[in-house]
Amino acid sequence: MPIAIRELKASLSRVLHRAQAGEVIEVTSHNKTIARIVGIPPQADEGLRGLIASGGLSWSGSKPQLQPPVEMVTGGTAVSRIVLADRG
């Protein structure tokens, strides 16, 4: 839902309530999106809340979407080999 800065100022509580309900709010200035307001679900544990607050995870009211996976570095010892060696 796009919303102009002026309208956001006038109805901040209503807009934040809608974001908390799962709606993504796009704040616009001169018809150009400058920010997004995304609510944090109340049932989220602290780990998820931290990821959402840091931008590492976004929530649109449905299942959380993770950022693209980190590319693995080639070379080194495989974890499976380390585990086998540790077991003796």
Side-chain angles (χ1 to χ4, degrees), residues 52-77:
I52 292 170
S54 69
L57 185 73
S58 62
W59 187 70
S60 63
S62 60
K63 292 184 178 179
Q65 300 293 316
L66 298 174
Q67 296 293 326
V70 175
E71 189 173 322
M72 300 299 292
V73 178
T74 57
T77 307

Side-chain angles (χ1 to χ4, degrees), residues 24-68:
V24 176
I25 312 296
E26 292 187 344
V27 181
T28 61
S29 177
H30 303 286
N31 294 321
K32 191 172 189 179
T33 301
I34 59 168
R36 285 192 182 94
I37 300 173
V38 180
I40 299 175
Q43 69 274 16
D45 63 42
E46 288 306 314
L48 286 179
R49 286 180 181 272
L51 281 173
I52 292 170
S54 69
L57 185 73
S58 62
W59 187 70
S60 63
S62 60
K63 292 184 178 179
Q65 300 293 316
L66 298 174
Q67 296 293 326

